[in-house]
Amino acid sequence: MRRTSYAFSPELYERELRAIVSEVRASPRLDAAGYQEILRRYPKDGSGFFSKSEVIRGYRHLRRDAAWTEDDERFLERLRMKPVRTQSGVAPVTVLTKPFPCPGKCIFCPSDVRMPKSYLSDEPGAQRAAEHQFDPYAQTASRLRSFFNTGHRIDKIELIILGGTWSFYAEEYQRWFVLRCFEAMNDFVAEEGEPVRAAVPVDYRDLDEVVAGDSLQRTYNAVIRDFAREREAPSESATWDDLERAHRVNETADARCVGLVLETRPDHISLSEVLRLRRLGATKVQIGYQSLSDEVLAANRRGHDVAATRRAMTLLRSMGFKIHAHWMPNLYGSSAELDAADYRRLWSDSDFRPDELKIYPCSLIETAELMAYYNDGRWQPYGHEELTDLLVDCISETPPYCRLTRVIRDIPGTDIVVGNKVTNLRQVAENALAERGLRSQEIRAREVRARSVAAGALRLDVVRYEASEGEELFLQFVGDDDELAGFLRLRLPGSSSAPCDELDGQALLREVHVYGAVVGLGKAHRGRAQHQGLGRQLVEAAAAEAAAAGYAGLAVISAIGTRDYYRSLGFADGALYQHLDLGAWSEAEDRN
């Protein structure tokens, strides 16, 4: 049974929509004022304006019986809302797990009992999760619908599962949560509403108890346990067979998962854990370093030391995962000078060197235990200039193989007692960097995004660096101004034994990413970085590097939705990875 979530019916407005579409197409340069003038000429119901999502839905309705062409894509580009969301090459779908007890006791972490630990109910993503009562199916379906109705393609989905410590949730819940996300992607039908949920989960918005950071009456964990115990929750379990069936369907679904991201702590990473993450379909792990100082970690009651982070990084990287680290300046017991040295350690020490990084300057939230430290003067936030100078140094130190995804956390200013409230702090820091005559070399600053790119104008560069007892090769296609059109991460393991038999004698292909706005699977658009064969060329270059280094095979930590792509390149399915026989590949190359 399905329900329709949107009352708008484009067939009732065909005359107006056809006229709007015609004028938009005829406008050589369409700016906001010109678009508004077109809407005024063709009002909705005689007086109102059609929203962009209604015009987009109307356009799809008018083109429902026609073959989709590049002209159709160009039309959607002109109207697409928030185009930056898919200019990295995939459509990110972020969902949150339910509130659940946390193993950590970090003094800086907020304790909003309506949210999974460390999240706040006022954050945009958290609000969406609460609206859907943390139901994984409903959250995923809603984000797919939102992307589709605002003109974005949903062929390639990066599924990002956040909330607390993933590894602390029961395995049954983990399987069920991932399964329901995949079922939402598999079920998505463009012109229909979202399927009805099978059951209504516990609504944590009913919680009105507040955990005060400066005078703890009850802990976050105690509140959550008692609340869940008093309510009968629907079944939240699934078998591995259930999940694997959903995985197989998604390999050829219209909305394919091309990356699955999970979030955990360094002290919860073990061989059994990473094998479970891989079986779930994960390809990337978000992991909180917070600091590389044992003294600072201990002062903030983080619950693990730097050695735990080293072990986690080695294990994750040796299993091929992409690593998205979190790092927090301005923690209790640190200083701007110590933080600058700590950041340099991220890159000078080969045990760290993450692929992606979020910088989260510590801000004081009322429900964090740090509140007591602020009230008695033990902790103070950095001033604006001091923090900006630190971030300028951090950005300039970030190497070209890392993507600096965030420079501040998206916390509403109303939730911050003291700390940074400047929402465009990254832009402020980057402007200050430019004033010093410096330029950021990190990935995000160099992405071509939606700009046109000619494959013939690109060159292949290779950045080599040591990391976690092995060598990493960052292969990148760049233009004359060092703009980045695509890259690949290749790991050549060291002499230590492989963590599992399947990876014995294998080089590891950890990531392939080609930039440009999301293009439909199997479609090619002139000038786009995607679908110019750059991905294939990167894989061939990686295979040549691995073969020259003496490896018998190349294993790829493929996402569920990219399995078909790698099969087309000659990779064969294994238990948890796909594999290319480099001996056979080299012989074929010699014949060609």
Side-chain angles (χ1 to χ4, degrees):
M1 178 181 178
R2 294 181 181 266
R3 61 179 173 85
T4 300
S5 301
Y6 302 90
F8 178 71
S9 300
E11 60 270 14
L12 299 179
Y13 301 95
E14 281 198 14
R15 183 183 65 81
E16 296 92 338
L17 291 168
R18 196 177 298 278
I20 291 170
V21 167
S22 178
E23 290 208 22
V24 168
R25 275 188 151 170
S27 300
R29 293 181 180 177
L30 185 69
D31 57 15
Y35 180 66
Q36 288 299 312
E37 184 59 35
I38 293 172
L39 294 181
R40 287 190 187 94
R41 286 197 287 274
Y42 306 99
K44 180 183 178 183
D45 297 323
S47 59
F49 287 120
F50 289 95
S51 69
K52 275 192 176 180
S53 62
E54 289 172 343
V55 173
I56 289 169
R57 188 168 182 186
Y59 182 81
R60 287 194 171 108
H61 169 73
L62 295 172
R63 296 285 296 162
R64 63 192 181 278
D65 297 325
W68 203 258
T69 68
E70 188 172 340
D71 287 339
D72 296 311
E73 285 297 321
R74 279 198 288 265
F75 178 85
L76 290 186
E77 281 179 3
R78 306 190 82 181
L79 296 185
R80 187 168 291 145
M81 297 166 63
K82 298 183 178 179
V84 69
R85 287 181 173 174
T86 54
Q87 282 178 358
S88 66
V90 297
V93 170
T94 301
V95 297
L96 265 67
T97 51
K98 66 181 180 181
F100 195 74
C102 177
K105 297 180 180 179
C106 309
I107 66 172
F108 52 79
C109 192
S111 297
D112 188 334
V113 295
R114 297 163 295 178
M115 288 288 128
K117 196 71 164 71
S118 87
Y119 289 85
L120 295 167
S121 55
D122 289 342
E123 295 178 87
Q127 288 179 331
R128 291 193 298 265
E131 178 186 351
H132 295 291
Q133 299 170 37
F134 302 98
D135 181 274
Y137 191 106
Q139 290 184 72
T140 305
S142 173
R143 295 305 291 150
L144 292 176
R145 176 68 53 194
S146 177
F147 274 124
F148 185 80
N149 282 347
T150 52
H152 297 268
R153 298 202 67 93
I154 56 164
D155 306 65
K156 302 174 185 177
I157 302 298
E158 182 178 43
L159 178 63
I160 305 168
I161 300 177
L162 303 179
T165 299
W166 172 263
S167 304
F168 201 61
Y169 288 83
E171 183 179 298
E172 293 80 5
Y173 177 81
Q174 294 180 14
R175 288 196 300 258
W176 170 81
F177 197 97
V178 175
L179 168 70
R180 293 299 285 156
C181 291
F182 270 88
E183 288 179 338
M185 288 183 282
N186 294 343
D187 290 351
F188 187 83
V189 179
E191 300 304 327
E192 298 186 42
E194 300 164 15
V196 177
R197 289 195 301 253
V200 179
V202 173
D203 193 346
Y204 287 85
R205 291 174 297 184
D206 292 341
L207 260 173
D208 57 7
E209 184 168 352
V210 175
V211 177
D214 56 350
S215 57
L216 292 175
Q217 302 299 317
R218 286 211 300 161
T219 66
Y220 171 93
N221 286 0
V223 173
I224 292 300
R225 283 195 184 99
D226 290 348
F227 183 78
R229 190 182 298 120
E230 293 167 3
R231 286 155 176 79
E232 185 176 349
S235 174
E236 295 176 339
S237 65
T239 68
W240 284 113
D241 286 343
D242 293 334
L243 180 57
E244 287 163 8
R245 278 193 294 270
H247 281 172
R248 286 193 293 272
V249 172
N250 191 254
E251 290 180 15
T252 55
D254 289 339
R256 299 183 200 176
C257 180
V258 299
L260 171 57
V261 186
L262 297 171
E263 181 179 43
T264 192
R265 292 165 50 100
D267 51 335
H268 278 66
I269 293 296
S270 63
L271 180 57
S272 61
E273 177 64 10
V274 294
L275 288 171
R276 176 165 50 251
L277 295 177
R278 187 67 200 115
R279 194 173 180 187
L280 289 167
T283 55
K284 182 191 297 183
V285 173
Q286 291 203 28
I287 186 166
Y289 290 6
Q290 316 310 14
S291 174
L292 297 181
S293 163
D294 280 336
E295 291 76 16
V296 172
L297 291 173
N300 288 268
R301 301 223 308 271
R302 175 63 179 162
H304 66 79
D305 57 11
V306 178
T309 305
R310 291 183 188 277
R311 290 191 296 270
M313 288 295 292
T314 298
L315 189 51
L316 287 169
R317 196 173 261 132
S318 66
M319 293 288 285
F321 286 94
K322 294 169 283 293
I323 298 161
H324 194 167
H326 302 178
W327 179 76
M328 294 184 68
N330 203 182
L331 289 174
Y332 171 62
S334 192
S335 67
E337 293 75 16
L338 291 174
D339 285 339
D342 202 61
Y343 195 82
R344 289 192 291 272
R345 197 174 301 122
L346 279 172
W347 315 112
S348 63
D349 191 319
S350 63
D351 280 344
F352 304 113
R353 297 177 174 169
D355 306 311
E356 300 181 40
L357 183 67
K358 292 180 180 179
I359 299 178
Y360 284 158
C362 185
S363 294
L364 180 61
I365 309 301
E366 189 173 11
T367 57
E369 190 178 347
L370 186 63
M371 189 74 184
Y373 292 62
Y374 170 70
N375 286 337
D376 65 19
R378 284 179 286 170
W379 177 86
Q380 291 288 329
Y382 299 157
H384 175 72
E385 289 188 7
E386 186 176 27
L387 180 57
T388 300
D389 286 344
L390 173 61
L391 292 177
V392 169
D393 289 342
C394 291
I395 292 172
S396 66
E397 291 280 347
T398 309
Y401 57 78
C402 178
R403 188 177 196 269
L404 198 53
T405 55
R406 281 188 179 272
V407 167
I408 58 169
R409 184 168 166 184
D410 190 16
I411 299 175
T414 52
D415 285 325
I416 298 174
V417 179
V418 291
N420 173 67
K421 296 185 181 182
V422 178
T423 56
N424 69 331
L425 189 58
R426 181 184 194 131
Q427 182 181 356
V428 171
E430 288 177 341
N431 289 343
L433 186 72
E435 289 172 2
R436 298 182 187 183
L438 302 174
R439 181 180 177 185
S440 174
Q441 293 300 307
E442 57 94 14
I443 289 173
R444 189 175 183 271
R446 300 187 294 123
E447 297 168 351
V448 296
R449 300 200 175 186
R451 297 192 299 274
S452 295
V453 58
L458 299 173
R459 69 180 187 278
L460 180 62
D461 283 349
V462 182
V463 178
R464 299 172 184 267
Y465 59 100
E466 298 298 315
S468 302
E469 303 172 4
E471 184 181 17
E472 294 283 332
L473 277 65
F474 182 75
L475 290 76
Q476 55 177 347
F477 271 117
V478 294
D480 293 337
D481 200 30
D482 207 32
E483 66 267 34
L484 184 63
F487 67 84
L488 179 148
R489 300 185 191 276
L490 173 67
R491 178 168 178 77
L492 303 179
S495 57
S496 58
S497 59
C500 64
D501 291 342
E502 189 177 347
L503 297 181
D504 187 37
Q506 304 280 298
L508 282 164
L509 198 168
R510 298 196 299 117
E511 181 177 15
V512 178
H513 196 111
V514 177
Y515 283 98
V518 174
V519 176
L521 290 163
K523 300 181 185 294
H525 291 339
R526 293 187 298 276
R528 292 289 177 79
Q530 288 194 349
H531 297 287
Q532 292 202 32
L534 298 187
R536 178 182 291 272
Q537 292 178 56
L538 285 166
V539 173
E540 289 174 349
E545 291 277 3
Y551 290 89
L554 177 61
V556 58
I557 185 168
S558 51
I560 305 304
T562 61
R563 287 174 176 172
D564 257 4
Y565 171 73
Y566 286 109
R567 289 172 189 141
S568 74
L569 299 181
F571 286 77
D573 295 351
L576 297 176
Y577 300 82
Q578 290 178 288
H579 302 268
L580 183 68
D581 183 330
L582 290 177
W585 178 84
S586 297
E587 290 177 5
E589 288 294 295
D590 290 341
R591 289 195 298 272
N592 294 333

